[in-house]
Amino acid sequence: MIGLPVARLPANWMPAADTLADRVVLVTGAYGGLGSAVTRAVARAGATVVITGKRKRQLEQLYDAMLAEGLSEPVIHPLDMEVATPREYTALAEGLERDLGRLDGIVHCAASFTGLTPIAMHKPDDWLRALHVNVSAPFALTQACLPLLNQASDSAAVFMLDNPELLQRAHWGGYGVSKAALERFVAILHEETDSGPLRTHALLPAPMRTALRRQAYFGEDIMRRPLPDATAAAAVYLLSAQALAARGAVLDLRVD
């Protein structure tokens, strides 16, 4: 059950080429299935995109692909959220201020999921990694970027949730616990920022064609699921000033 207020995407809403004009947006897990879709959608909406991930070569491949597609040039900043220290998060925020002068949004797409596992068989390292990458790292990165986000006239932090009705069932382990914790973090951060320029949002995608879903539902024909494009467009909405009404809520993209 979702604890946050639920918001819906306005009917027929689609991002325009200037929806995020002049904004700087940071995307974590940028070369993953969802992350790369969000990165492209944010670039098409007019923002400068800073792409992060632990594998520099895959960030470079995304960079090359975006240029080949005629999209604006992203900024590469390798960052391994599994092992990054608070000092590295601070250095990233300082680099953004020095090189770009601002930060208007973060979309947290990075995730750690090793498959469905009974608690009795759950490797402690996998459990700790899931909680760190899915909760602690987004906290640390967002905290480091708060001064920059609060300098903007309007900014947004967007956190990806997953279906709570499924995640409370058997075998979801550290991933399920981490997503529940992330939802609570969103609620607390909203309570602390609801009167300032920073908007806090959660985004709950409908089933989509990603590597994480393939790993969780290996018996499913993943090709029957849509690409993450609709979720990416919804992320653009939440990053824009038009999403003020969805502040502190979860934007639920699932079909009723």
Side-chain angles (χ1 to χ4, degrees), residues 51 58-68 73-76:
I51 55 176
Q58 289 185 253
L59 292 172
E60 291 170 343
Q61 290 173 344
L62 175 59
Y63 176 98
D64 292 341
M66 290 178 67
L67 293 188
E73 180 180 6
V75 177
I76 294 177

Side-chain angles (χ1 to χ4, degrees), residues 171-182:
H171 302 161
W172 282 97
Y175 178 80
V177 170
S178 70
K179 287 299 182 179
L182 185 65

Side-chain angles (χ1 to χ4, degrees), residues 145-228:
C145 292
L146 280 177
L148 263 183
L149 292 166
N150 282 317
Q151 287 176 23
S153 59
D154 175 73
S155 60
V158 180
F159 300 85
M160 295 292 171
L161 300 184
D162 207 331
N163 190 330
E165 286 78 17
L166 290 177
L167 297 189
Q168 66 184 350
R169 297 178 184 175
H171 302 161
W172 282 97
Y175 178 80
V177 170
S178 70
K179 287 299 182 179
L182 185 65
E183 181 182 343
R184 181 57 56 88
F185 174 68
V186 169
I188 293 171
L189 183 61
H190 167 65
E191 288 295 323
E192 296 180 3
T193 59
D194 65 341
S195 61
L198 173 61
R199 292 176 282 107
T200 303
H201 300 280
L203 179 54
L204 179 51
M208 54 187 175
R209 192 189 313 169
T210 63
L212 192 154
R213 186 167 184 91
R214 182 182 292 110
Q215 194 172 4
Y217 301 93
F218 53 86
E220 177 183 77
D221 182 0
I222 193 69
M223 299 307 291
R224 296 174 67 100
R225 295 297 185 184
L227 291 167

Side-chain angles (χ1 to χ4, degrees), residues 40-207:
R40 287 174 165 89
V42 168
R44 291 190 194 101
T48 297
V49 192
V50 181
I51 55 176
T52 73
K54 64 181 179 181
R55 298 185 180 91
K56 183 179 179 182
R57 180 58 189 148
Q58 289 185 253
L59 292 172
E60 291 170 343
Q61 290 173 344
L62 175 59
Y63 176 98
D64 292 341
M66 290 178 67
L67 293 188
E69 294 164 18
L71 298 174
S72 58
E73 180 180 6
V75 177
I76 294 177
H77 191 108
L79 182 70
D80 186 346
M81 297 184 74
E82 184 179 338
V83 299
T85 65
R87 182 175 298 178
E88 289 175 275
Y89 293 123
T90 299
L92 170 57
E94 291 173 348
L96 291 173
E97 184 170 26
R98 180 184 64 248
D99 299 335
L100 300 173
R102 62 187 298 156
L103 180 64
D104 303 276
I106 305 177
V107 185
H108 292 279
C109 295
S112 176
F113 175 69
T114 55
L116 300 176
T117 311
I119 294 295
M121 300 174 62
H122 207 309
K123 295 179 180 178
D125 285 351
D126 290 343
W127 178 281
L128 294 172
R129 185 181 302 110
L131 267 69
H132 183 76
V133 173
N134 301 341
V135 186
S136 298
F139 147 74
L141 177 58
T142 303
Q143 183 191 59
C145 292
L146 280 177
L148 263 183
L149 292 166
N150 282 317
Q151 287 176 23
S153 59
D154 175 73
S155 60
V158 180
F159 300 85
M160 295 292 171
L161 300 184
D162 207 331
N163 190 330
E165 286 78 17
L166 290 177
L167 297 189
Q168 66 184 350
R169 297 178 184 175
H171 302 161
W172 282 97
Y175 178 80
V177 170
S178 70
K179 287 299 182 179
L182 185 65
E183 181 182 343
R184 181 57 56 88
F185 174 68
V186 169
I188 293 171
L189 183 61
H190 167 65
E191 288 295 323
E192 296 180 3
T193 59
D194 65 341
S195 61
L198 173 61
R199 292 176 282 107
T200 303
H201 300 280
L203 179 54
L204 179 51

